[in-house]
Amino acid sequence: MSERRYLSDGSSIPAIGFGTNQMDTDAIASAIDVGFRMLDTAWVYGNESAVGDAIRGSGVPRDEFTVITKLPGRAHGVDEARASLTESLASLGLDHVDLYLIHWPMPRVDRYVDAWKGLIALREEGLVRSIGVSNFNPDHVLRLIEETGVAPVVDQVELHPHFIQAEQRAFAAGRGIPTMSWSPLGRRADLMADATIATIAERHGVSPAQVVVRWHIELGSVPIPRSTSAARQAENFDVFGFSLDADEVAAISRLDSGVRLWGGDPETKEEF
Ligand SMILES: NC(=O)c1ccc[n+]([C@@H]2O[C@H](COP(=O)([O-])OP(=O)(O)OC[C@H]3O[C@@H](n4cnc5c(N)ncnc54)[C@H](OP(=O)(O)O)[C@@H]3O)[C@@H](O)[C@H]2O)c1
């Protein structure tokens, strides 16, 4: 049983989720069997129907799931957001999503405030329970709040021991906006072979991946690791039976390279 994180709109989400990018129905079904109840997808992943199928096939009641999907860049506008969510809901086979995020701000296009107004309207209609953002820098978040008075409930950003997002996390924590970590394992990278992580893993009798996932929990961030393997899914989910002390968290945070390994820069990345 994982812990929960409470959001500023009064709802709550599991403290860990399953990243479904490139995952098919079988891999998602196995993650549900392992215990994951929060599933992160996106319109651009093209697998919302696999997420819906896995949920329906699981026999687990719909209300036990937190389903996250994301608004693509092509739909930054009030009407466009409605049309895109309608498509996502049809693919998912659901009547609402629990958390709807703007996938990227695309500030050069400069329509993310319109997209946010669209999400606010969808929430008011009950088609989405909670609304948030992904890849938004603090100034993008501040602009949403200034122009609409509504703050996102989460910001999902690239976050792993090689890119620890100290400034972003400090901003988000100060505003009561939990950070959700994408690529929490650094897409495996060389983190699994890192000597600092290996030493800590040995001390606790857990795997390097479990140390990294637990590091996110200690930071107060919500990791969404992805794996095709049931055994590794189970490993990633099993991080609530041990904890890291402040020195261990700091040692892992010192692995920061300050360089984005995988994602684009929110200021310039455009994905339609
Ligand atoms: N909002 C955004 O813009 C954005 C961008 C990127 C990603 N995301 C979300 O974040 C999720 C996760 O990020 P990600 O897929 O980039 O990377 P990740 O979860 O950091 O890493 C996945 C990789 O790690 C391996 N792995 C998983 N568990 C492991 C373990 N216990 N031991 C060793 N290796 C392990 C997986 O291989 P195996 O499959 O072989 O286990 C896979 O190659 C995505 O699925 C997506 O939902 C969001």
Side-chain angles (χ1 to χ4, degrees):
M1 212 24 198
S2 82
E3 299 164 5
R4 296 189 74 82
R5 296 279 174 265
Y6 290 87
L7 307 180
S8 58
D9 64 3
S11 63
S12 70
I13 58 174
I16 185 169
F18 182 69
T20 73
N21 194 12
Q22 299 174 336
M23 297 292 101
D24 62 15
T25 307
D26 288 347
I28 300 165
S30 130
I32 294 170
D33 281 349
V34 155
F36 283 97
R37 291 291 178 269
M38 181 160 67
L39 305 173
D40 178 75
T41 184
W43 186 91
V44 295
Y45 299 170
N47 73 342
E48 288 169 317
S49 60
V51 170
D53 288 344
I55 289 173
R56 277 183 295 281
S58 70
V60 176
R62 164 69 181 95
D63 63 7
E64 288 186 22
F65 287 99
T66 298
V67 177
I68 307 173
T69 194
K70 312 189 191 82
L71 180 81
R74 75 188 67 195
H76 281 197
V78 173
D79 293 341
E80 296 91 329
R82 172 178 307 283
S84 192
L85 179 71
T86 302
E87 265 184 56
S88 289
L89 289 175
S91 300
L92 286 159
L94 300 176
D95 63 3
H96 74 284
V97 294
D98 301 285
L99 185 49
Y100 198 36
L101 311 180
I102 302 177
H103 206 147
W104 289 91
M106 307 203 311
R108 215 170 51 104
V109 175
D110 197 19
R111 296 203 65 202
Y112 63 85
V113 176
D114 294 330
W116 189 238
K117 288 176 181 165
L119 265 59
I120 293 168
L122 294 170
R123 188 188 59 180
E124 282 165 2
E125 287 171 47
L127 294 171
V128 302
R129 189 192 73 195
S130 297
I131 53 176
V133 294
S134 178
N135 301 301
F136 273 49
N137 286 340
D139 58 319
H140 305 137
V141 172
L142 286 173
R143 188 163 160 219
L144 294 186
I145 297 170
E146 275 160 22
E147 296 202 22
T148 68
V150 179
V153 297
V154 298
D155 192 355
Q156 183 185 115
V157 298
E158 179 182 345
L159 174 55
H160 45 75
H162 284 156
F163 192 63
I164 70 166
Q165 295 267 28
E167 203 181 312
Q168 175 91 24
R169 285 187 292 108
F171 165 81
R175 292 263 165 183
I177 303 170
T179 299
M180 191 173 278
S181 312
W182 66 252
S183 289
L185 301 171
R187 265 181 214 169
R188 186 155 49 184
D190 47 358
L191 279 178
M192 299 304 123
D194 180 88
T196 301
I197 292 171
T199 304
I200 295 171
E202 204 171 316
R203 194 179 300 147
H204 291 277
V206 298
S207 73
Q210 287 175 307
V211 167
V212 173
V213 175
R214 183 70 210 184
W215 170 82
H216 290 275
I217 304 284
E218 304 294 355
L219 293 182
S221 190
V222 179
I224 48 169
R226 160 181 72 99
S227 177
T228 47
S229 138
R232 287 190 289 281
Q233 292 168 356
E235 188 182 314
N236 297 342
F237 191 71
D238 182 18
V239 294
F240 296 94
F242 72 104
S243 56
L244 304 178
D245 67 25
D247 289 343
E248 291 171 327
V249 171
I252 297 167
S253 297
R254 279 195 293 275
L255 300 175
D256 186 28
S257 67
V259 176
R260 294 178 195 279
L261 292 182
W262 307 104
D265 183 337
E267 287 297 339
T268 53
K269 164 104 176 172
E270 293 186 357
E271 181 180 82
F272 294 90

